[in-house]
Amino acid sequence: MADVSVRGARAGDVAEIARIQVETWRFSYADTLPAAALEALTVEAAAEAWQPAVTAPPTPRHRVLAAQEGEWTVGFTAFGPADDLQPDEAEAQTTIAVGPLIVEPRWRRRGHGSRLMAATVDLARSDGMTRAVAWVPEADTGTREFLIGAGWAADGLVRALDTGAGELRELRLFVSLAEG
């Protein structure tokens, strides 16, 4: 059995998290995002964005987790209190937003995504959170099917993001964090 785990990300993980994000998005979203948007992604810019999230999160409820297999960082996720909810949404104060949850393609189908999600749920519950939401690109059937298989469901909300080279439609999924 491989040595696998999930742990809180550390400052030394930032460069690898950035590399995993950029390379995985270029691979996974080649048919979803405009080529110009993918080409504009750089590991340096991603690392600059991830540094404060890992080393100085805005609240104790904001976390970045790293999935490990042996000595390798193979994936990560980030989550924290949701800040883009609808004005009348129930559980607004106890809802987390999850995203991204990324496992590098060569390490997929080994349970890393499930371990990242389980750790996210456990930590969110320990913080008193009762619900989670995630925005998923409409064309990303792999992530959507993974989440639905884990008990998530679409809630009917859709948003369009301007990539600078076109529009990216995303669907919102949610799940109750209630145990049982």
Side-chain angles (χ1 to χ4, degrees):
M1 176 112 185
D3 176 24
V4 295
S5 63
V6 172
R7 61 170 173 74
R10 302 184 284 249
D13 296 321
V14 170
E16 189 64 359
I17 286 170
R19 184 199 64 77
I20 290 169
Q21 181 178 27
V22 170
E23 289 183 10
T24 300
W25 280 10
R26 286 181 178 161
F27 174 82
S28 298
Y29 295 141
D31 295 332
T32 304
L33 291 172
L38 290 171
E39 289 169 14
L41 295 174
T42 68
V43 172
E44 296 77 20
E48 188 174 311
W50 281 110
Q51 187 70 37
V54 171
T55 62
T59 74
R61 289 180 168 176
H62 286 83
R63 293 188 172 94
V64 180
L65 304 177
Q68 301 289 133
E69 184 163 327
E71 64 187 79
W72 305 102
T73 299
V74 300
F76 70 94
T77 193
F79 63 96
D83 60 5
D84 65 347
L85 299 173
Q86 301 300 305
D88 60 344
E89 273 193 71
E91 302 179 84
Q93 297 302 312
T94 57
T95 298
I96 63 163
V98 178
L101 190 154
I102 298 175
V103 175
E104 195 171 3
R106 64 187 167 138
W107 298 99
R108 289 181 182 162
R109 304 242 177 243
R110 296 181 183 197
H112 298 297
S114 295
R115 277 186 289 281
L116 283 164
M117 185 56 67
T120 297
V121 168
D122 288 347
L123 289 166
R125 283 179 179 155
S126 73
D127 285 341
M129 305 308 265
T130 60
R131 183 170 163 261
V133 296
W135 288 98
V136 179
E138 187 174 45
D140 185 352
T141 56
T143 298
R144 191 168 63 249
E145 288 172 6
F146 167 77
L147 291 173
I148 289 170
W152 293 62
D155 65 9
L157 292 177
V158 178
R159 70 181 179 188
L161 303 176
D162 180 4
T163 66
E167 185 178 275
L168 174 69
R169 285 178 43 91
E170 291 185 318
L171 310 174
R172 194 175 82 170
L173 283 77
F174 78 100
V175 70
S176 170
L177 300 180
E179 294 188 61

